[in-house]
Amino acid sequence: DTPLATYEFVARDGRQVFGEIGTSAIRENGEVVRMVAVARDVTDRVHAERALRTSEQLTRYAFEQAAVGIVAADVDSKLLVHANQRACEILGYTEADLHALTFADCTHPEDLPASKAAVARLLRGDAERLQLAKRYLRKDGSVVHCEVTISLVRGKDSKPLQLVAVLEDVTERREARQQLARLAAAVEHAAEDIFITDVAGRITYVNPAFERVTGYAASEVQGRSSTFLRGAGEDPRLRRNMLRALQSTGVWSARVRTRCKDGREIDQDVTVKAIFDTGGEKLGYVVVRRDVTEQLELEAQVRQAQKLEAIGTLAGGIAHD
């Protein structure tokens, strides 16, 4: 006799089929006189098993290659039973290290109460999943900031089995936001008037100093072309030079005349710089201007005084002669 085994066949119409076949020998006086084979079509079952294996392989691959960290903890023991490669990178541990730890072991002490409260809500059935921001302590003692989604996995009897956490490292993003906030504060409190335009030269932002210097409120200038700020009689070559410089080097500086809301014209030292995104596409321009009107007036007064002094010296010399 032969045990049941699965064989692959090609049907008459060319289809691939699978059969589960077992054979038995019929004996007379101890001799085999015939063989009996039992066959069953198991094509659907084989295809289902192969699909299941493929699905499991894809799931495992997605788990291991995910761009976010994925960690699972046993509800009873609290130990971390699964962790993908990205989770190990985020937390700074090997997978073997993590298997001996709990979520609490990795969590920053200040964030532990909020983390425990979230887990308690899941176990009570108050929510299917929860999102929270928390800090983890890496193996080397450094802190990593993460956005975490925690879900509860239940068995067939609805008994809680595992807690699964998806970790996204936002440390760099958080630092970038803080840096942008500091930069924004610096721009808001700068003594120079600053405005930003799109690539067409339409104003999209002005700082408080711009409002103070020009007399225009932000709501009055947003969306307008910055050309209305030009002083009367501006040399056309100035704009051509600006466009040429911005095209070649992305930055241009000069001294210009600016028309204020009340009709006054002031002298300003201006620097224009092109703004690009991370892909190299131009987004617009940032314009930084410093009012030098009083400085120029003082310089003119000094020059006049120097002239008078020189004339006085000359006159005194002639009188002496």
Side-chain angles (χ1 to χ4, degrees), residues 275-283:
I275 306 170
F276 298 90
D277 65 12
T278 54
E281 182 178 354
K282 186 182 293 183
L283 300 177

Side-chain angles (χ1 to χ4, degrees), residues 301-317:
Q301 292 174 8
V302 170
R303 285 194 299 271
Q304 182 66 16
Q306 289 173 339
K307 288 179 183 178
L308 292 174
E309 182 180 356
I311 293 172
T313 301
L314 178 60

Side-chain angles (χ1 to χ4, degrees), residues 57-314:
Q57 290 171 354
L58 289 173
T59 300
R60 185 64 184 177
Y61 180 82
F63 174 80
E64 290 296 340
Q65 302 299 320
V68 293
I70 305 175
V71 183
D74 183 77
V75 169
D76 295 327
S77 68
K78 305 295 189 300
L79 293 175
L80 304 179
V81 293
H82 299 293
N84 69 349
Q85 182 59 36
R86 181 57 184 148
C88 294
E89 293 171 357
I90 291 173
L91 299 175
Y93 290 92
T94 66
E95 186 174 2
D97 290 335
L98 289 174
H99 289 169
L101 301 175
T102 67
F103 277 128
D105 296 327
C106 304
T107 300
H108 191 285
E110 294 178 4
D111 295 341
L112 198 54
S115 181
K116 289 183 176 180
V119 170
R121 288 188 60 194
L122 290 172
L123 294 176
R124 288 196 306 266
D126 295 343
E128 291 296 322
R129 65 180 57 85
L130 291 172
Q131 293 182 323
L132 65 157
K134 62 181 294 189
R135 291 164 291 177
Y136 288 97
L137 293 176
R138 293 167 54 85
K139 187 176 182 178
D140 61 6
S142 60
V143 177
V144 59
H145 294 260
C146 291
E147 290 182 358
V148 185
T149 301
I150 308 176
S151 304
L152 182 63
V153 178
R154 299 179 182 273
K156 294 181 179 179
D157 55 357
S158 296
K159 179 183 178 182
L161 296 179
Q162 292 181 343
L163 286 164
V164 177
V166 178
L167 319 178
E168 183 181 3
D169 184 354
V170 296
T171 305
E172 291 185 3
R173 186 193 311 170
R174 184 175 178 274
E175 292 174 352
R177 286 175 180 170
Q178 291 177 338
Q179 183 176 358
L180 285 175
R182 289 191 293 268
L183 179 60
V187 170
E188 286 289 304
H189 293 89
E192 295 82 1
D193 82 73
I194 301 171
F195 66 91
I196 298 174
T197 75
D198 60 17
V199 291
R202 293 183 294 265
I203 296 175
T204 58
Y205 166 83
V206 299
N207 73 339
F210 175 95
E211 297 179 301
R212 184 175 62 254
V213 171
T214 66
Y216 288 102
S219 58
E220 295 178 289
V221 300
Q222 285 181 344
R224 294 180 63 180
S225 171
S226 60
T227 55
F228 78 93
L229 295 169
R230 296 177 190 168
E234 180 183 283
D235 188 342
R237 291 175 298 180
L238 195 66
R239 178 170 174 78
R240 290 198 295 269
N241 292 339
M242 179 187 70
L243 295 175
R244 187 160 45 246
L246 290 175
Q247 185 67 29
S248 60
T249 65
V251 64
W252 174 78
S253 296
R255 180 163 291 171
V256 301
R257 296 280 289 176
T258 298
R259 184 190 298 275
C260 298
K261 185 177 180 179
D262 59 8
R264 291 180 303 110
E265 289 194 2
I266 59 175
D267 293 288
Q268 290 187 302
D269 284 343
V270 58
T271 298
V272 183
K273 184 172 178 57
I275 306 170
F276 298 90
D277 65 12
T278 54
E281 182 178 354
K282 186 182 293 183
L283 300 177
Y285 303 94
V286 58
V287 183
V288 180
R289 307 183 305 178
R290 183 170 64 90
D291 187 354
V292 294
T293 305
E294 292 185 5
Q295 175 187 331
L296 294 178
E297 290 175 353
L298 289 173
E299 290 176 354
Q301 292 174 8
V302 170
R303 285 194 299 271
Q304 182 66 16
Q306 289 173 339
K307 288 179 183 178
L308 292 174
E309 182 180 356
I311 293 172
T313 301
L314 178 60

